[in-house]
C-alpha cells in the first residue's frame, strides 16, 4: 500500500515561516514529479510548486521568492519551505507524487491527506 504522509502545518502569524514535509512509503519503484497543491475554502485546488526527479522546480507566481520546494530522493520525501507567509496563503496543503509501483506499471498520481496552514493577520 503506497501512501503519502504530510506533516508540518499549523497556525502562524503573517510574516512567519513553516516547513511542510511529505514522505512516500510502501512498495515504490520510482517517483517522478512531486509537488504541493493547496485549496482555500470556496476556491479550486491550485498547484503551488512542483519538482522533477532531476530537481527542476516550478512555482505559482504568488509564492515565487517566498516558498522553496526541495526533495530528498533517498528518503522519498518532498519539502516545502514557506517564508514571509501571508493570510492569503491560508489553505489545506496537499502533497502529490507521480509514482510507479513496479517497473511495468504506468505512473499514477498519489495524494496525501492534506495539512492545514493558517496564517493570521
Amino acid at each position: 500500500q503506497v501512501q503519502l504522509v504530510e506533516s508540518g502545518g499549523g497556525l502562524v502569524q503573517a510574516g512567519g515561516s513553516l516547513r511542510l514535509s511529505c514522505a512516500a512509503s510502501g512498495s515504490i519503484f520510482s517517483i517522478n514529479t512531486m509537488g504541493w497543491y493547496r485549496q482555500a475554502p470556496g476556491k479550486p485546488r491550485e498547484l503551488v510548486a512542483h519538482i522533477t526527479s532531476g530537481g527542476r522546480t516550478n512555482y505559482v507566481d504568488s509564492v515565487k521568492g517566498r516558498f522553496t520546494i526541495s526533495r530528498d530522493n533517498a528518503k522519498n520525501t518532498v519539502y516545502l519551505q514557506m517564508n514571509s507567509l501571508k493570510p492569503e496563503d491560508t489553505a489545506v496543503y496537499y502533497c502529490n507524487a507521480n509514482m510507479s509501483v513496479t517497473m511495468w506499471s504506468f505512473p499514477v498520481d498519489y495524494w496525501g491527506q492534506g495539512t492545514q496552514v493558517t496564517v493570521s493577520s
Side-chain angles (χ1 to χ4, degrees), residues 29-72:
F29 174 73
S30 66
I31 303 178
N32 304 310
T33 299
M34 303 184 81
W36 290 93
Y37 289 70
R38 66 186 179 186
Q39 187 166 20
K43 294 187 177 181
R45 188 174 298 190
E46 68 168 350
L47 174 66
V48 177
H50 67 74
I51 183 168
T52 68
S53 57
R56 206 164 68 178
T57 60
N58 187 51
Y59 299 89
V60 66
D61 285 347
S62 60
V63 308
K64 285 180 179 177
R66 299 188 298 121
F67 291 10
T68 302
I69 190 170
S70 61
R71 65 191 282 175
D72 184 333

Side-chain angles (χ1 to χ4, degrees), residues 97-113:
N98 185 259
M99 301 188 286
S100 297
V101 296
T102 72
M103 65 182 297
W104 303 279
S105 58
F106 287 104
V108 175
D109 279 339
Y110 291 84
W111 293 89
Q113 78 283 0

Side-chain angles (χ1 to χ4, degrees), residues 57-100:
T57 60
N58 187 51
Y59 299 89
V60 66
D61 285 347
S62 60
V63 308
K64 285 180 179 177
R66 299 188 298 121
F67 291 10
T68 302
I69 190 170
S70 61
R71 65 191 282 175
D72 184 333
N73 291 330
K75 296 181 178 180
N76 290 340
T77 300
V78 63
Y79 306 95
L80 186 67
Q81 178 66 44
M82 305 185 292
N83 299 328
S84 302
L85 282 160
K86 304 175 181 180
E88 50 264 43
D89 294 318
T90 296
V92 178
Y93 283 69
Y94 296 92
C95 173
N96 169 271
N98 185 259
M99 301 188 286
S100 297

